[in-house]
């Protein structure tokens, strides 16, 4: 269910110059990076790229959702990590992305870890935003 503007607690603002081959910066100056296409896409690969930025945001958000779910379930997720792999490739509309989320949760069994990851996927705002739009696969290490 979408939130209303009146429910917004925080808004991140970033501005890009020259698209995938330029610069992206936030209005508060905390993030200011050069972006370049990766070598695999014909670029020089000297800077970061939108897929890396999306992977960083998604993994951090998913880790937060995992913590919320773990607290509700009484599970210990200390020492856990979440890795997001974001791939980009051609599709019928031009280009699209695909995501793989992998969680390492050392203090719970495999079945419990899978359950926590599935539940985190239901509450993570990034997962909600991408649901039905891109393929997201989940894995536990």
């Amino acid at each position: 269910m979408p939130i209303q503007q009146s429910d917004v607690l925080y808004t991140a603002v970033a501005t890009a110059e020259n698209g995938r081959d330029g610069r992206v910066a936030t209005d508060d100056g905390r993030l200011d990076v050069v972006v370049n296409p990766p070598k695999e896409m014909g670029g020089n690969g000297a800077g970061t790229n939108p897929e890396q930025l999306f992977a960083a945001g998604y993994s951090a958000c998913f880790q937060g959702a995992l913590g919320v779910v773990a607290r509700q379930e009484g599970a210990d997720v200390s020492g856990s990590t979440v890795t997001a792999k974001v791939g980009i490739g051609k599709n019928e509309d031009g280009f699209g992305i695909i995501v793989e989320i992998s969680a390492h949760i050392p203090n719970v069994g495999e079945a419990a870890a899978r359950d926590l990851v599935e539940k985190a996927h239901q509450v993570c705002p990034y997962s909600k935003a991408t649901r039905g739009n891109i393929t997201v696969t989940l894995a536990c290490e």
Side-chain angles (χ1 to χ4, degrees):
M1 168 186 243
I3 66 171
Q4 301 300 314
Q5 185 62 38
S6 60
D7 296 324
V8 172
L9 301 174
Y10 169 76
T11 300
V13 178
T15 302
E17 298 171 2
N18 296 323
R20 296 183 69 88
D21 203 4
R23 176 178 162 260
V24 176
T26 56
D27 64 337
D28 63 5
R30 292 182 186 213
L31 178 72
D32 190 340
V33 295
V34 171
V35 290
N36 299 116
K39 290 180 180 181
E40 296 84 350
M41 294 179 64
N44 65 18
T48 190
N49 59 66
E51 292 71 38
Q52 289 174 322
L53 295 170
F54 187 72
Y58 202 160
S59 63
C61 189
F62 200 96
Q63 177 78 41
L66 183 63
V68 168
V69 169
R71 281 189 294 282
Q72 293 170 347
E73 301 281 322
D76 179 7
V77 295
S78 60
S80 66
T81 59
V82 172
T83 300
K85 296 179 182 178
V86 176
I88 184 169
K90 292 184 178 183
N91 65 11
E92 65 277 357
D93 297 327
F95 283 88
I97 62 171
I98 188 169
V99 176
E100 179 185 321
I101 299 289
S102 180
H104 173 68
I105 310 172
N107 299 324
V108 300
E110 187 177 330
R114 279 196 308 272
D115 184 57
L116 290 169
V117 167
E118 286 289 340
K119 289 178 178 175
H121 187 49
Q122 296 308 308
V123 300
C124 173
Y126 274 61
S127 292
K128 289 179 181 180
T130 60
R131 191 166 290 120
N133 298 310
I134 64 172
T135 300
V136 177
T137 58
L138 305 174
C140 293
E141 299 175 352

